[in-house]
């Protein structure tokens, strides 16, 4: 036992001292942090106002498009305003723990009163509760947003309801802004002429003037005269066609207009159609596995259903990084003949176990650091603006998921570690090992491939079958954990997995014993079988 | 202790049809330095691995320090394998201390011993250098020190001199002499006969998996007859006739006009001098040549060595 500990201790200390280990430890939280922060960062800084020129040859369609662009801009501002309100009222909302029922009609009435009061300060109005302030943005009808006066008043009203110490709201830059044609180009010019003239601007070779500022031209939109006819095409020029928000918005608005005109032509009341089209049959989802009275399936359950994917991925990465570590240093010890000195001091079994335990400790350290930093980051980021994070934490930290993760990590690791150590022992170089690794890698890819579809049918035939195949058991079962698979399967596959670990250990120890002392070419398969049958050494 | 530190009894090791070691038996008495000689492929390393219980013999028995299995007495054995390697990222001290702890020395004590050994053998200033920063000679020294840091009773060194420059070979001889002076038993394999001749009291010679010789160095040398080299007018024809001379030839050292006479076992070289005196032959050169270990080795394993080379 002491020898196993000493070997494990050395393995652990030597691995922990490597740069790779620390990069591995630090990279994960950095990646998670970036995954959370990057989209926000890009949204805040990355997308500047896009400037565009609209050439409207039709009667009034340009106006429709412009309105829709304004709506888009204001919705963006509204979103930011809501976040600002959420942040500013965070304290207040935390204090009042009781849920406030929000009645949309009543809330809108309250808003109307508030807007009236802006024009007439003597009017008494009912103050908004913090929760109402956060929610109200979702209820605003489009007409209100499109009405300049109302829009400005809404902003003013909502901001006036914030606590005194709330920070100032800084309006985000507009998403899209229309600019006029540059000098020398006129709307009376032909489309072709305008396109040719704007080409250098669209290529960012020249800058446009807008409010005495030099700006880059993002897009040119030409709406033809008969834009609503089936054969007509709206022409959209941009050197960044990946950003489809603008053209999608414009096409949506024009399509709507086309439909409206068609309804009118056929004498159909469009409002009725819209009402009919908005009809939805809704459902409530129940899960019989949940406790009585709590069978309703909510967002938390959804997260819970898919959270294991994260665990499976982590399991996979962890098992294979550290098993690979084991493979590499077995080959190192073998190729520099240290193994022979070791074997004069310890048995092959002690050596094999010592190495596997030592590297396992490295893996556990890494996992703890990862999970710890993940929970730490999520807790830190969790707040009213990101309630999904709290849902995620609650969904993830459950005995079956964490317990499953620990068990499948240990069992899966030992399964693959013994396999890799066996391979390491018969190879003198990493290159030789690669020949053996290729089929093994294919075997390992299977759980990755099934990772995303198993949560859709966690107790189905495929998932059940795969669970019983030991190399895949840890991943597939981990993936199914949230769906409460039958206890017989949990224990059955676990016992099967443990037996396989013992078998793989026994086989590997046999190969290891002969392999580590062997130099020259790795053995052929047939020879390996002979080793296993014991007709060697 | 009555038993010898190393005892092999009819030990055979086969790989399929190939006999790597074929029915060898020998003992190494306590406190001796024993050379383990043989050409490449003679079965030395396989025998050493069997002694250390790294490999199991196909048949026969081995006793090491009175135990059936070397692992039972591993804390009393030190071993330096033929191909030497180090943990590149470990420091010299940590490397020596690690192997000492595997032999049962406590951690702190192992570090202290490692430091002392490095100091003693001229590597004091490299204690905290990583092994990858050491020269080949230094690295090899570190490995030898790692194999003896736990002060073993039996030290087995497989080709300890290979790859060392003459200065470091001298240091290695010094290490072996130090171990011997503490009454420990040493078995070392080598190709270099001059080392064996200088250091060993006994030699075991193997050829093609079989035991070719086991005994003291003097006994080994007595396997070859003594020779006399003579130069003088008419000396060759006159001395050839003597009954103690079994064979004559030009001198093997290539000197012109010098004849070499091989003597019968137990013959006195003075007989040749006397004969020359009686026949009035004036001698310019008269040398008695004792066989050296190299010659004994070539004599014993010459054929097998060639065969082994072609195998």
């Amino acid at each position: 036992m002491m020898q196993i500990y000493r070997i494990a201790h050395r393995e652990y200390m030597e691995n922990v001292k490597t740069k790779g280990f620390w990069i591995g430890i630090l990279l994960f939280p950095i990646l998670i942090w970036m995954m959370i922060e990057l989209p926000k960062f890009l949204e805040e800084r990355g997308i500047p106002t896009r400037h565009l020129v609209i050439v409207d040859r039709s009667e009034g369609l340009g106006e429709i498009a412009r309105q829709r662009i304004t709506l888009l801009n204001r919705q963006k501002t509204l979103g930011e305003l809501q976040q600002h309100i959420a942040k500013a009222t965070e304290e207040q909302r935390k204090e009042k723990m009781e849920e406030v029922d929000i009645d949309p009609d009543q809330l809108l009435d309250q808003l109307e009163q508030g807007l009236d009061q802006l024009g007439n300060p003597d009017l008494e109005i009912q103050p908004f509760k913090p929760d109402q302030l956060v929610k109200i943005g979702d209820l605003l009808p489009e007409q209100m947003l499109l009405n300049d006066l109302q829009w400005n008043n809404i902003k003013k009203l909502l901001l006036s309801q914030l606590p005194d110490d709330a920070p100032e709201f800084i309006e985000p830059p507009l998403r899209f802004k229309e600019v006029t044609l540059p000098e020398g180009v006129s709307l009376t010019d032909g489309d072709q002429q305008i396109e040719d003239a704007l080409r250098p601007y669209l290529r960012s070779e020249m800058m446009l003037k807008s409010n005495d500022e030099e700006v880059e031209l993002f897009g040119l939109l030409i709406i033809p005269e008969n834009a609503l006819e089936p054969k007509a095409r709206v022409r959209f020029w941009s050197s960044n066609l990946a950003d489809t928000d603008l053209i999608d918005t414009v096409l949506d608005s024009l399509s709507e207009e086309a439909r409206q005109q068609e309804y009118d032509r056929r004498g159909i009341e469009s409002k009725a159609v819209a009402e009919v089209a908005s009809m939805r049959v809704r459902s409530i989802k129940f899960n019989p596995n949940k406790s009585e009275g709590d069978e309703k399936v909510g967002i938390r359950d959804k997260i819970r259903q898919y959270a294991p994917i994260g665990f499976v991925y982590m399991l996979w990465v962890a098992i294979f990084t550290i098993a690979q570590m084991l493979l590499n240093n077995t080959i190192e010890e073998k190729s520099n003949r240290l193994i022979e000195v070791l074997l004069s001091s310890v048995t092959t079994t002690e050596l094999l176990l010592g190495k596997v335990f030592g590297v396992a400790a490295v893996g556990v350290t890494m996992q703890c650091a990862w999970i710890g930093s993940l929970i730490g980051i999520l807790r830190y980021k969790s707040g009213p603006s990101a309630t999904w994070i709290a849902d995620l934490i609650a969904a993830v930290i459950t005995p079956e998921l964490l317990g499953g993760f620990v068990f499948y990590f240990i069992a899966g690791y030992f399964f693959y570690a013994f396999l890799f150590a066996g391979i390491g022992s018969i190879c003198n170089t990493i290159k030789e090992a690669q020949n053996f690794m290729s089929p093994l890698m294919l075997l390992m890819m299977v759980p990755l491939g099934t990772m995303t579809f198993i949560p859709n049918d966690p107790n189905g035939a495929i998932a059940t079958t795969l669970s019983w195949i030991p190399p895949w058991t840890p991943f597939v079962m981990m993936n199914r954990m949230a769906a409460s698979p039958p206890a017989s399967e949990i224990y059955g596959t676990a016992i099967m997995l443990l037996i396989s670990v013992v078998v793989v250990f026994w086989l590997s120890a046999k190969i290891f014993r002969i392999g580590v002392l062997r130099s020259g070419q790795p053995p052929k398969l047939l020879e390996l079988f002979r080793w296993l049958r014991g007709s060697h050494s | 202790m009555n038993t010898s530190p190393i005892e092999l009894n009819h030990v055979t090791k086969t790989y399929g049809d190939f006999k790597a070691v074929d029915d060898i038996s020998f003992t190494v008495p306590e406190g001796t330095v024993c050379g383990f000689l043989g050409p490449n492929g003679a079965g030395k390393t396989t025998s050493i691995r069997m002694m250390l219980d790294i490999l199991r013999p196909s048949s026969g028995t081995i006793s090491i320090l009175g135990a059936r299995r070397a692992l039972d007495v591993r804390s009393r054995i030190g071993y330096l394998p033929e191909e030497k390697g180090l943990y590149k990222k470990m420091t010299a001290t940590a490397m020596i201390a690690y192997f000492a702890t595997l032999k049962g020395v406590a951690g702190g004590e192992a570090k202290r011993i490692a430091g002392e050994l490095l100091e003693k053998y001229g590597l004091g200033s490299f204690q905290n250098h990583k092994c990858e920063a050491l020269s080949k000679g230094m690295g090899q020294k570190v490995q030898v020190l790692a194999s003896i840091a736990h002060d073993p009773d039996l030290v087995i060194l497989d080709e300890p001199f290979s790859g060392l420059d003459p200065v470091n070979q001298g240091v290695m001889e010094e290490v072996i002499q130090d171990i011997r002076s503490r009454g420990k038993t040493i078995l070392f394999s080598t190709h270099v006969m001059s080392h064996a001749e200088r250091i060993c009291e006994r030699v075991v010679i193997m050829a093609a998996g079989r035991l070719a010789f086991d005994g003291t160095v003097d006994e080994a040398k007595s396997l070859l007859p003594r020779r006399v080299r003579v130069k003088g007018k008419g000396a060759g024809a006159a001395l050839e006739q003597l009954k103690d001379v079994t064979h004559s030839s030009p001198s093997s050292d290539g000197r012109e006009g010098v004849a070499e006479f091989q003597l019968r076992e137990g013959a006195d070289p003075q007989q040749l001098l006397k004969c020359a005196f009686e026949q009035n032959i004036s001698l310019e050169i008269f040398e008695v040549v004792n066989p050296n270990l190299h010659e004994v080795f070539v004599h014993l394993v010459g054929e097998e060595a060639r065969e082994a080379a072609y195998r």
Side-chain angles (χ1 to χ4, degrees):
Chain A
M1 255 343 255
M2 204 54 199
Q3 301 296 69
I4 296 177
Y5 165 74
R6 284 180 182 131
I7 290 173
H9 181 258
R10 195 205 77 87
E11 286 293 336
Y12 181 75
M13 292 313 289
E14 289 307 305
N15 276 306
V16 165
K17 278 188 217 155
T18 59
K19 282 187 209 93
F21 174 81
W22 287 103
I23 292 173
I25 290 250
L26 295 175
L27 205 60
F28 181 76
I30 291 174
L31 281 179
I32 294 287
W33 186 268
M34 275 168 59
M35 264 164 61
I36 296 176
E37 292 293 318
L38 207 61
K40 234 169 77 186
F41 176 81
L42 285 181
E43 208 176 349
E44 278 170 14
R45 316 260 158 83
I47 308 175
T49 300
R50 308 269 203 213
H51 293 88
L52 73 145
V53 167
I54 299 177
V55 177
D56 181 19
R57 306 288 189 208
S58 70
E59 278 176 27
L61 291 182
E63 246 351 275
I64 293 172
R66 283 187 184 99
Q67 262 195 10
R68 191 57 76 93
I69 291 169
T70 307
L71 188 64
L72 197 72
N73 283 334
R74 292 191 177 164
Q75 275 165 343
K76 181 191 174 199
T77 308
L78 182 64
E80 303 245 336
L81 180 63
Q82 275 180 289
Q83 276 196 11
H84 176 80
I85 293 171
K87 228 180 218 165
T89 57
E90 193 175 354
E91 291 293 309
Q92 290 175 309
R93 282 179 302 127
K94 261 190 196 155
E95 279 165 24
K96 291 187 194 154
M97 291 304 285
E98 86 272 18
E99 285 270 310
V100 182
D101 266 339
I102 290 165
D103 173 4
D105 293 333
Q106 183 257 317
L107 194 55
L108 280 179
D109 284 347
Q110 201 179 329
L111 181 73
E112 296 277 3
Q113 286 172 21
L115 292 177
D116 290 345
Q117 191 230 19
L118 280 179
N120 183 0
D122 296 336
L123 273 176
E124 281 271 319
I125 63 152
Q126 194 188 346
F128 290 90
K129 291 190 178 120
D131 284 306
Q132 292 176 321
L133 276 179
V134 177
K135 272 273 149 27
I136 202 162
D138 298 338
L139 306 172
L140 295 178
E142 286 181 8
Q143 302 93 301
M144 267 189 163
L145 290 181
L146 285 173
N147 181 317
D148 291 348
L149 182 69
Q150 271 189 324
W151 165 240
N152 283 327
N153 284 342
I154 290 170
K155 281 192 288 184
K156 218 184 279 174
L157 174 67
L158 294 183
L159 289 170
S160 73
Q161 298 285 311
L162 292 182
D164 296 338
D165 59 347
E168 194 191 347
F169 175 64
I170 298 160
E171 279 214 32
L174 293 180
R175 185 93 172 74
F176 297 104
K177 189 173 175 193
E178 192 183 348
V179 287
T180 51
L181 284 168
E183 258 176 64
V185 191
S186 143
L187 282 174
T188 53
D189 295 341
D191 289 354
Q192 184 71 48
Q193 244 178 318
I194 294 178
E195 284 172 359
D196 288 344
L198 290 191
R199 211 182 283 257
Y201 295 93
L202 286 162
R203 283 188 192 145
S204 304
E205 291 162 6
M206 291 173 78
M207 301 297 250
L208 276 178
K209 278 247 185 303
S210 163
N211 297 343
D212 291 335
E213 223 181 304
E214 294 225 312
V215 298
E216 213 172 288
L217 182 61
F218 168 71
L220 163 67
L221 195 69
I222 301 180
I223 302 172
E225 190 181 347
N226 51 357
L228 300 186
E229 282 173 20
K231 282 195 174 161
R233 294 288 181 270
V234 170
R235 295 168 70 85
F236 179 57
W237 287 76
S238 176
S239 49
N240 179 5
L241 290 168
D243 187 346
T244 58
D245 283 3
L246 176 70
I247 184 70
D248 288 348
T249 303
V250 170
L251 291 183
D252 277 353
S253 64
L254 297 185
S255 304
E256 213 170 90
E257 178 61 18
R259 284 195 293 268
Q260 181 64 48
Q261 288 187 11
E262 189 61 15
Y263 287 139
D264 293 349
R265 196 177 65 77
R266 299 189 187 200
I268 302 172
E269 194 189 337
S270 62
K271 207 176 156 209
V273 174
E275 275 169 22
V276 172
S278 71
M279 284 172 66
R280 292 276 181 280
V281 176
R282 295 182 199 278
S283 70
I284 309 178
K285 293 167 187 141
F286 297 98
N287 185 342
N289 293 324
K290 295 183 73 185
S291 56
E292 226 172 316
D294 186 32
E295 299 98 329
K296 229 169 104 181
V297 178
I299 178 80
R300 205 166 270 212
D301 297 287
K302 271 273 172 244
I303 293 178
R304 234 171 82 75
Q305 187 185 357
Y306 288 96
I309 294 183
F311 275 109
V312 174
Y313 195 67
M314 232 155 84
L315 199 65
W316 198 90
V317 171
I319 287 179
F320 297 122
T321 349
I322 59 180
Q324 190 80 34
M325 228 184 251
L326 186 71
L327 175 77
N328 290 346
N329 75 23
T330 306
I331 292 175
E332 188 202 344
E333 270 170 9
K334 197 194 160 187
S335 62
N336 65 19
R337 313 305 299 172
L338 272 161
I339 223 131
E340 218 175 313
V341 195
L342 290 170
L343 289 182
S344 70
S345 309
V346 300
T347 63
T348 32
T349 312
E350 283 170 337
L351 179 61
L352 179 61
L353 286 176
K355 291 174 76 62
V356 167
F357 284 131
V359 177
V362 176
V364 169
T365 310
M366 214 176 233
Q367 289 296 297
C368 289
W370 285 1
I371 294 181
S373 57
L374 180 67
I375 292 177
I377 289 176
L378 290 184
R379 278 209 194 287
Y380 179 73
K381 297 305 294 176
S382 145
S385 56
T387 45
W388 63 271
I389 292 178
D391 282 332
L392 184 68
I393 294 179
V396 163
I397 306 178
T398 62
E400 64 261 44
L401 280 188
L402 279 188
F405 184 76
V406 170
F407 173 76
Y408 291 118
F409 171 71
I410 293 173
Y413 164 73
F414 280 114
F415 184 91
Y416 283 99
F418 289 133
L419 214 57
F420 278 40
I423 291 177
S425 74
I426 55 176
C427 301
N428 293 303
T429 60
I430 298 283
K431 209 171 165 204
E432 281 175 12
Q434 271 162 2
N435 293 332
F436 290 91
M437 289 300 293
S438 315
L440 210 57
M441 279 313 272
L442 284 179
L443 190 76
M444 295 168 194
M445 292 314 284
V446 173
L448 273 193
T450 59
M451 195 164 74
T452 44
F453 74 73
I454 283 181
N456 293 334
D457 190 12
N459 293 323
I462 295 180
T464 311
T465 313
L466 292 179
S467 304
W468 287 94
I469 302 172
W472 302 329
T473 307
F475 309 104
V476 178
M477 282 308 286
M478 184 69 236
N479 217 339
R480 298 174 58 195
M481 251 5 229
S484 315
S488 61
E489 272 184 46
I490 297 181
Y491 294 115
T493 54
I495 291 168
M496 178 103 156
L497 179 60
L498 291 177
I499 292 172
S500 334
V501 169
V502 174
V503 170
V504 173
F505 166 67
W506 180 76
L507 293 176
S508 279
K510 261 194 141 172
I511 290 178
F512 196 81
R513 201 163 296 143
I514 305 165
V516 282
L517 289 174
R518 202 188 133 110
S519 50
Q521 285 289 307
K524 301 266 180 307
L525 264 184
L526 201 69
E527 207 174 337
L528 274 182
F529 281 121
R530 273 216 304 276
W531 292 8
L532 293 175
R533 274 184 27 233
S535 57
H536 186 287
S537 104
Chain B
M1 199 193 294
N2 295 327
T3 50
S4 304
I6 301 178
E7 273 184 42
L8 274 75
N9 257 312
H10 301 290
V11 171
T12 299
K13 177 74 185 174
T14 53
Y15 292 104
D17 298 332
F18 174 64
K19 277 190 176 171
V21 172
D22 186 3
D23 191 27
I24 61 167
S25 302
F26 67 87
T27 59
V28 178
E30 194 178 349
T32 51
V33 177
C34 177
F36 197 32
L37 316 177
N40 293 333
K44 299 189 299 287
T45 298
T46 306
S47 302
I48 287 177
R49 284 176 175 175
M50 286 192 288
M51 292 176 210
L52 291 163
D53 202 30
I54 295 173
L55 291 176
R56 303 270 160 79
S58 308
S59 66
T61 57
I62 296 173
S63 156
I64 295 294
L65 294 166
R68 288 299 214 143
R69 295 185 57 203
L71 276 178
D72 295 339
V73 284
R74 58 186 159 201
S75 60
R76 294 173 58 203
I77 304 174
Y79 170 50
L80 175 76
E82 180 181 2
E83 288 175 70
K84 291 141 193 95
L86 299 158
Y87 287 113
K88 290 189 211 133
K89 301 286 175 195
M90 274 178 118
T91 63
T93 311
M95 166 94 192
I96 295 173
Y98 172 56
F99 281 105
T101 55
L102 285 183
K103 297 286 194 181
V105 181
E109 175 73 357
K111 266 194 193 141
R112 188 187 62 74
I113 294 172
E116 276 176 17
L117 282 174
L118 287 167
E119 199 70 57
K120 181 173 174 186
Y121 291 104
L123 290 174
S125 53
F126 292 93
Q127 286 189 17
N128 296 318
H129 281 52
K130 283 194 177 158
C131 289
E132 63 189 352
L134 302 177
S135 72
K136 187 176 175 188
M138 288 178 192
Q140 205 155 324
K141 253 196 237 175
V142 168
Q143 242 211 340
V144 176
L145 298 182
S147 66
I148 59 165
H150 57 296
D151 195 23
D153 294 328
L154 170 63
V155 180
I156 297 178
L157 309 168
D158 201 352
E159 299 287 352
F161 298 101
S162 75
L164 291 182
D165 62 34
V167 175
N168 279 308
Q169 287 186 4
V171 176
M172 181 61 72
E173 279 191 29
E174 194 189 321
V175 174
I176 295 175
Q177 299 289 10
D178 280 353
I179 304 170
R180 193 228 313 250
S181 68
R182 293 202 304 277
K184 314 292 184 181
T185 310
I186 301 162
L187 177 80
F188 76 89
S189 73
T190 184
H191 289 118
V192 187
M193 295 305 136
S194 57
H195 290 135
E197 201 163 355
R198 253 199 318 274
I199 310 170
C200 299
E201 291 138 297
R202 293 183 71 86
V203 287
V204 171
I205 301 177
M206 282 187 76
R210 286 185 292 272
L211 189 73
F213 177 81
D214 168 27
T216 64
V217 174
D218 288 340
E219 283 168 355
K221 285 181 179 174
S222 70
L223 289 178
L224 285 185
R226 295 163 94 186
R227 284 161 296 160
V228 176
R229 286 182 189 145
V230 176
K231 187 178 180 185
K233 205 174 176 196
L239 301 177
E240 228 173 22
Q241 311 300 324
L242 285 173
K243 66 175 182 1
D244 281 345
V245 172
T246 60
H247 180 75
S248 75
S249 60
S251 174
S252 56
D253 64 6
R255 280 178 292 175
E256 210 170 310
V258 180
E260 194 170 292
F261 300 98
Q262 216 165 71
L263 303 185
R264 205 178 295 282
E265 205 180 321
D268 183 359
Q270 293 300 322
Q271 289 297 325
L272 271 77
L273 196 60
K274 198 173 158 198
C275 174
F277 186 70
E278 282 169 2
Q279 298 202 13
N280 254 341
I281 299 166
S282 70
L283 295 178
E284 287 172 48
I285 294 174
F286 182 86
E287 287 173 4
V288 180
V289 185
N290 285 319
N292 59 27
L293 203 53
H294 178 82
E295 287 164 323
V296 176
F297 181 78
V298 172
H299 167 73
L300 284 173
V301 306
E303 265 322 295
E304 280 91 346
R306 261 193 292 281
E307 275 175 29
Y310 288 113
R311 235 190 334 246

